[in-house]
Amino acid sequence: MTSANISSQQSPELEPASEQQQEKPNQKKIKLPGWLLALLLVGGVGLWQVFTTSSSPTADSNAQTPPPKSVETIALTSGTGNRQVRLLGQVEAGERATLSPQLDGAVQSVSVREGDRVTPGMTVAVLDDADSRLALAEAQARLAQERSNLARLQVGTRPEIIAQREAELDSATARELEAKDNLERISDLTERGALSQRDLIEARTEADAARSERYRVEALLAEAQAGATKEEVDAQRGLVDAANVVVEQIQLRVRRTEVKAASLGIVQSRDVDPGDYVEVGDPVVTIVSDRSLEIFLEVPESLSGQVAPGMQVTLNARALPDWQQATEITAVVPTADTASRRQRVRVSLNTPPPRLLPGMAIQASLAVPIESIDTFVVPREALTRRGDEWLLFVVDNDQAQQLEVKISADLGQDVVIANAELRAGQNIVVTGGDGLTDDAPVQVVN
């Protein structure tokens, strides 16, 4: 070896030392033994390997398998449920009567106005009845005459009338004898030529007339003595009955000049005033009942044929914010309304609230059954909304399976959903679904 090589190996050690001595002239140099430096170097490397080996698997396991999330589940049940449909309608009177006259005539008086309460049999208007009352008086007089004739026939002829008939017969007999004597005398004179044939003919005529008069008076006397026959009494009784019918007809006509209410109610409208001329069938007043109301609701065309009597409906009115009543549909009108082209249903209220009046608008909520075999009823909290999608999580082997479902009806706390992959009895997440992802590990805590 040359001295140059030795100098080259020693120069790196000497130069720094000289520099440190120049920079820090007052600092003392501490030199560690070689075996201590080797021991520290080996120990540091071992500790680094231990820390590296123990920390790497833990980080990898945390990144790949997060801890399971705690959830609560229930068993999925199938069901149809009901969807609520809003209906609009109008309140109408359950009983409505339009009072009209049964006769033609002038209105004499009207005793009610709008809003007045009427009772059965109450007179609400009167027509002029002067002509009817005159006709009634005449018919009653004729009836009295016919009844008198019937009574005379039933009692028989009075004694004084029989005596009168007997006196008339005696007089007629005397006149007949006188006529016979005159005829015999004129006959003798005619045979002698003292009188003409003309005188004889006149005498015979007078005798025949006297005989006929006697026959007539004898018949009257016999009739008076025998009394009326059964046929005559029956005929007279028929005349009395006919006269009585005429009186009753005119009395009915007089009564019909009064327009009366037939039922209890309230006057809705008054259509005439005193002095108006009305004919049969013209409206006078309209009365509505305040004890029963009818509500007619319009059904959308999409539900035509699906609504039936007995279906549940909940009524409310804007005019009565504190009123709500659940009832049933009474009947379905089989035709569509000419104005709206919609089918109508009727709901009867026999005990309506006092402030609910005919003509008010009404709203109703109709429960329409959802008929489907692929629908299920779940609590509302079981669904998770992400964007425009509704998600339901099914738990299988401690993993959450994400399914997109369609809401068929909103039942309030529950909803009706549909999905072809759902089956009854599956466990679905009801609590803890927020933040879940498909195939995420879960832990059922219920």
Side-chain angles (χ1 to χ4, degrees):
M1 294 289 179
T2 60
S3 59
N5 292 332
I6 296 174
S7 62
S8 63
Q9 293 176 354
Q10 293 178 352
S11 61
E13 296 179 359
L14 296 175
E15 288 178 0
S18 61
E19 291 177 357
Q20 291 177 358
Q21 291 176 359
Q22 292 176 359
E23 293 176 358
K24 299 178 181 180
N26 298 327
Q27 185 177 3
K28 296 181 177 180
K29 181 179 180 181
I30 299 175
K31 184 176 182 181
L32 296 177
W35 59 270
L36 182 58
L37 290 176
L39 180 61
L40 291 176
L41 180 61
V42 173
V45 172
L47 289 175
W48 178 82
Q49 290 179 351
V50 170
F51 287 130
T52 303
T53 304
S54 60
S55 60
S56 296
T58 303
D60 293 341
S61 62
N62 290 337
Q64 294 176 359
T65 58
K69 185 176 182 180
S70 299
V71 296
E72 295 182 5
T73 63
I74 61 172
L76 183 63
T77 58
S78 60
T80 57
N82 298 323
R83 64 187 178 99
Q84 302 296 322
V85 179
R86 300 292 296 176
L87 305 179
L88 299 178
Q90 183 173 333
V91 182
E92 297 184 9
E95 296 179 1
R96 180 191 303 269
T98 300
L99 305 184
S100 303
Q102 301 180 5
L103 301 173
D104 299 345
V107 178
Q108 181 175 338
S109 63
V110 182
S111 57
V112 295
R113 299 196 67 86
E114 291 83 350
D116 291 345
R117 182 177 294 274
V118 297
T119 56
M122 178 179 175
T123 300
V124 298
V126 178
L127 304 182
D128 186 8
D129 60 351
D131 295 339
S132 298
R133 293 194 177 278
L134 289 176
L136 177 61
E138 182 180 354
Q140 289 174 339
R142 178 64 181 271
L143 175 61
Q145 179 64 36
E146 297 296 343
R147 284 177 175 173
S148 176
N149 294 338
L150 177 61
R152 185 170 59 251
L153 291 178
Q154 291 175 337
V155 172
T157 307
R158 298 190 300 272
E160 56 270 20
I161 294 179
I162 295 177
Q164 181 182 357
R165 296 290 187 270
E166 291 175 347
E168 291 177 354
L169 179 57
D170 294 340
S171 176
T173 303
R175 286 194 298 272
E176 181 183 9
L177 292 176
E178 183 181 357
K180 286 182 178 181
D181 293 341
N182 187 38
L183 176 59
E184 292 177 356
R185 183 177 60 80
I186 292 176
S187 296
D188 292 341
L189 293 175
T190 301
E191 291 178 357
R192 296 175 184 176
L195 294 175
S196 64
Q197 291 291 329
R198 180 182 180 83
D199 294 332
L200 179 61
I201 294 173
E202 291 178 354
R204 287 177 178 174
T205 302
E206 292 177 359
D208 293 339
R211 185 171 56 253
S212 298
E213 179 64 18
R214 180 179 62 82
Y215 290 157
R216 187 185 69 82
V217 175
E218 285 179 350
L220 292 176
L221 177 59
E223 180 182 1
Q225 291 174 343
T229 64
K230 180 178 181 302
E231 290 76 9
E232 291 174 337
V233 174
D234 291 341
Q236 185 60 38
R237 185 177 288 110
L239 294 176
V240 172
D241 292 340
N244 189 46
V245 169
V246 174
V247 171
E248 291 178 352
Q249 288 178 343
I250 299 178
Q251 287 177 340
L252 179 60
R253 183 180 179 88
V254 172
R255 289 195 298 269
R256 286 180 173 176
T257 58
E258 297 181 354
V259 181
K260 297 179 178 292
S263 60
L264 182 69
I266 298 176
V267 177
Q268 184 182 36
S269 64
R270 167 177 160 171
D271 303 304
V272 297
D273 291 312
D276 293 344
Y277 186 86
V278 293
E279 298 180 350
V280 176
D282 289 345
V284 175
V285 295
T286 300
I287 298 175
V288 296
S289 173
D290 59 345
R291 295 189 175 183
S292 64
L293 295 176
E294 301 286 352
I295 297 176
F296 287 90
L297 303 171
E298 293 187 349
V299 178
E301 295 181 354
S302 59
L303 295 180
S304 296
Q306 302 182 30
V307 182
M311 295 180 65
Q312 294 292 324
V313 64
T314 303
L315 305 175
N316 56 79
R318 184 176 300 175
L320 283 72
D322 55 345
W323 172 75
Q324 187 177 30
Q325 182 171 346
T327 182
E328 296 180 353
I329 293 178
T330 305
V332 178
V333 181
T335 57
D337 185 76
T338 55
S340 63
R341 305 298 181 185
R342 293 186 174 185
Q343 191 177 15
R344 299 199 304 167
V345 297
R346 175 170 58 87
V347 178
S348 299
L349 295 181
N350 295 325
T351 56
R355 293 184 295 165
L356 189 64
L357 303 177
M360 284 185 174
I362 203 80
Q363 297 88 35
S365 178
L366 173 65
V368 180
I370 302 173
E371 300 180 357
S372 176
I373 61 175
D374 297 328
T375 57
F376 301 87
V377 178
V378 299
R380 182 182 294 273
E381 58 267 19
L383 299 183
T384 301
R385 185 163 188 173
R386 294 178 183 173
D388 295 335
E389 297 178 351
W390 287 99
L391 303 180
L392 181 73
F393 291 96
V394 178
V395 176
D396 187 15
N397 294 327
D398 294 333
Q399 284 188 335
Q401 180 183 359
Q402 175 180 304
L403 295 178
E404 181 182 354
V405 297
K406 178 182 179 182
I407 297 180
S408 300
D410 189 347
L411 308 181
Q413 294 183 353
D414 297 333
V415 292
V416 180
I417 63 173
N419 186 291
E421 300 181 21
L422 291 176
R423 298 292 182 271
Q426 291 178 308
N427 291 327
I428 61 172
V429 176
V430 292
T431 303
D434 295 338
L436 279 181
T437 58
D438 198 15
D439 295 330
V442 294
Q443 181 181 1
V444 179
V445 297
N446 54 319

